[in-house]
Amino acid sequence: MKQEWIQIRGYTMLKKWKKLRNLMDHVSEVLEVILSVIIIVVVVIAIFFLKTPFLEYLADPTASGALLTFITYVLNIVICVELFKVLCSPGTETVLDVMMFVIVRHMIVHDTTAAENLLTILGVAMLIVIKKYVLQNQWHPGKKCAKDTIDEKDGSENTD
């Protein structure tokens, strides 16, 4: 029995596995959409529940921990929104945004030492440098580069 081998994404595999691979890709995309919808529903519900901590803060702004409680709720919602963005458009930049919010939330919400604050600030600074200088030169799927375009007429590469 002759088995047909094909090349997919740089891997050589049997042709019958191609269908399984495609099915797994489709299932993972559907699960991502389902998770995105769940996250949006949870975020909308959480926004309505922000009323209580906000009113507690307004009632006594000088109360110990009132502002911190409100900020904790808000940052949790922001992190969920960023997670939704990662699921909708996965990429290095959105993952870095989520990491930055998580690091900042940890510094603001939890009692940390001076050394932990320094490490947090260095971590955020590293993420900013990565985002500014490393990702600036990276190719993005939506962006066309002149040298990476393919001539529509004859299918040859344009290396202008």
Side-chain angles (χ1 to χ4, degrees):
M1 179 168 101
K2 183 179 177 187
Q3 297 180 350
E4 294 182 47
W5 293 88
I6 56 173
Q7 192 80 12
I8 300 175
R9 296 182 187 168
Y11 297 102
T12 304
M13 60 176 61
L14 289 172
K15 192 172 186 175
K16 63 182 178 182
W17 291 106
K18 180 182 177 186
K19 289 182 182 180
L20 179 62
R21 174 75 182 207
N22 288 338
L23 176 67
M24 290 188 310
D25 284 343
H26 291 303
V27 168
S28 68
E29 289 173 9
V30 169
L31 290 175
E32 285 177 359
V33 170
I34 291 170
L35 286 174
S36 298
V37 169
I38 290 171
I39 289 173
I40 285 297
V41 169
V42 168
V43 166
V44 169
I45 292 170
I47 288 172
F48 287 116
F49 283 105
L50 274 178
K51 178 182 174 185
T52 304
F54 182 67
L55 292 177
E56 288 174 5
Y57 172 70
L58 287 180
D60 189 10
T62 59
S64 174
L67 178 61
L68 194 58
T69 303
F70 179 69
I71 289 175
T72 302
Y73 284 118
V74 170
L75 288 175
N76 284 338
I77 292 171
V78 168
I79 290 171
C80 285
V81 170
E82 290 296 322
L83 179 62
F84 172 75
K85 287 169 49 177
V86 167
L87 289 172
C88 288
S89 60
T92 310
E93 191 170 342
T94 52
V95 171
L96 289 175
D97 287 341
V98 172
M99 289 173 60
M100 194 174 312
F101 280 117
V102 169
I103 290 172
V104 169
R105 179 193 172 276
H106 177 76
M107 183 175 148
I108 292 173
V109 172
H110 299 289
D111 291 329
T112 55
T113 64
E116 289 174 333
N117 287 341
L118 177 64
L119 289 175
T120 301
I121 292 168
L122 289 175
V124 170
M126 283 177 33
L127 290 174
I128 290 171
V129 167
I130 290 170
K131 196 171 178 183
K132 172 106 174 128
Y133 295 107
V134 176
L135 294 182
Q136 180 179 355
N137 299 326
Q138 189 180 40
W139 178 80
H140 297 284
K143 193 189 294 184
K144 287 190 177 183
C145 297
K147 64 181 177 181
D148 294 333
T149 57
I150 296 176
D151 193 0
E152 299 288 330
K153 297 173 189 169
D154 61 1
S156 63
E157 281 192 43
N158 182 6
T159 56
D160 296 332

